[in-house]
Amino acid sequence: MNTHGSTVVGLDVHKQTVVAAVLPPGADRTRETVTIENVPKAVERLVARLAASGPVAFVYEAGPCGYEVQRQLTTLGQPCAVVAPALTPVRPGDRVKTDRRDAEKLARLYRAGELTAIRIPTRAEEAARDVVRVREDVLADRLRARHRLAKFLLRQGRLYRETKAWGVAHRAWLHSQRFAWPALQQTFAAYLRALEEVEAHLAVLDQQVGDLAQQAPYRPLVQALRCLKGIDTLGAVTLAVETQEFRRFPRARAFMSYTGAVTAERSSGGMVRRGSITKAGNAHPPDPGGGGLERPVWHGGEP
């Protein structure tokens, strides 16, 4: 977006406040920096005051506050870009970080075209993505519940060595455990109950993810992704909701950069050093760890 004829406003968005740095057209330094409440009415007043002097372009970094500010500004008819924090240039040796400096830096870098804007998901896309992500969270809860139960039994000298853990035979063995001390029995029952409650929650989420795979617009994409080796329902749904639109990646290399599945490199002169994959991309992998759905195997190939 060409912003040389517009006032660029860099925003540092937090839960309670928004810091706005105003960079006028043709200026190399911000004119003013204001702090407002992060509420729709305060944002609307700021937009009305700035837009009265001419066209305005807003920019802020993606973060835990989501896209509500961007959606409000778009509704008010103002262009607003949300940029990737990991791709924001940082000066070596710059050790001072404040909300004001962050907002001013965003305004200057956006005017210079040095920032990378991200794709803003629709509310429906964000809702579908959150269903898959909450399943990842519950999957991590199940792992913690299993560890707590297993470590408690280990402290009591109760080891299961017959078959694979957490299978049918192991479950029967767990339910057969009895302790002489009532406090130990109560502790064991609490750990086991916590595990079973998490597993019941996970089963419900598995069904919801499976239902999502059958709904538009994900059904055709999930069916196509399942044709790839190692990608089944769970992996296909995760890829679909996290990526949303594969056509926004001009090449396979761009998609691999988005996932972080590219190798690190520190080469200089005649020396070439390559390391492991960077993982500096989307933190939600296509394989959240299995469960009620089929567990896929992620090979890191082209989409």
Side-chain angles (χ1 to χ4, degrees):
M1 176 181 176
N2 187 0
T3 61
H4 290 285
S6 304
T7 297
V8 178
V9 182
L11 303 176
D12 196 47
V13 180
H14 297 278
K15 180 175 67 173
Q16 301 292 345
T17 61
V18 176
V19 179
V22 181
L23 181 63
D28 57 355
R29 299 185 63 180
T30 55
R31 180 184 64 192
E32 64 172 320
T33 303
V34 297
T35 301
I36 63 174
E37 287 187 272
N38 189 359
V39 294
K41 289 185 178 180
V43 174
E44 187 175 351
R45 287 194 297 267
L46 175 67
V47 170
R49 180 171 67 85
L50 296 176
S53 302
V56 185
F58 294 85
V59 58
Y60 70 94
E61 288 183 331
C65 293
Y67 310 107
E68 289 305 306
V69 172
Q70 191 275 343
R71 288 166 178 154
Q72 181 186 358
L73 291 172
T74 302
T75 302
L76 294 173
Q78 304 299 326
C80 179
V82 182
V83 300
L87 301 181
T88 301
V90 179
R91 289 181 180 179
D94 188 358
R95 303 299 176 87
V96 179
K97 185 181 185 302
T98 64
D99 295 344
R100 179 185 60 82
R101 288 172 63 93
D102 288 347
E104 292 175 350
K105 182 173 69 173
L106 285 174
R108 292 195 305 269
L109 292 176
Y110 190 59
R111 168 72 57 78
E114 296 294 328
L115 299 178
T116 302
I118 66 173
R119 178 184 180 275
I120 307 300
T122 65
R123 292 187 183 275
E125 291 171 347
E126 195 172 15
R129 185 185 65 185
D130 286 343
V131 170
V132 175
R133 289 186 177 182
V134 74
R135 183 189 176 277
E136 295 178 33
D137 294 336
V138 175
L139 201 61
D141 292 340
R142 185 185 69 174
L143 181 62
R144 283 191 288 267
R146 284 181 173 183
H147 283 173
R148 292 187 184 112
L149 178 59
K151 298 307 181 288
F152 169 77
L153 292 173
L154 179 61
R155 292 196 302 272
Q156 307 306 318
R158 309 288 180 100
L159 298 179
Y160 183 77
R161 306 178 187 273
E162 303 302 324
T163 59
K164 185 178 179 180
W166 311 112
V168 175
H170 184 214
R171 294 303 177 118
W173 177 82
L174 285 175
H175 285 278
S176 68
Q177 297 303 300
R178 297 293 182 272
F179 296 87
W181 294 92
L184 287 179
Q185 187 66 38
Q186 293 168 4
T187 303
F188 171 73
Y191 280 133
L192 184 60
R193 182 170 62 252
L195 173 60
E196 292 175 343
E197 290 174 353
V198 171
E199 289 176 335
H201 189 189
L202 185 61
V204 173
L205 291 172
D206 284 340
Q207 182 61 47
Q208 293 175 353
V209 173
D211 294 341
L212 183 64
Q214 302 300 320
Q215 298 174 8
Y218 299 108
R219 183 174 181 178
L221 180 57
V222 168
Q223 291 177 343
L225 289 171
R226 280 169 52 90
C227 296
L228 299 175
K229 182 179 180 180
I231 302 295
D232 217 318
T233 303
L234 180 57
V237 173
T238 306
L239 278 169
V241 300
E242 291 293 340
T243 307
Q244 293 297 339
E245 181 55 65
F246 282 98
R247 293 184 182 88
R248 62 193 175 105
F249 300 102
R251 301 178 306 278
R253 180 177 296 179
F255 177 75
M256 301 312 293
S257 178
Y258 168 76
T259 63
V262 293
T263 57
E265 183 172 352
R266 294 182 63 88
S267 300
S268 179
M271 183 177 296
V272 178
R273 293 180 179 176
R274 294 189 177 93
S276 58
I277 63 174
T278 64
K279 298 183 181 180
N282 192 317
H284 299 271
D287 180 9
L293 302 181
E294 305 92 330
R295 180 174 184 176
V297 179
W298 174 237
H299 294 283
E302 294 187 11

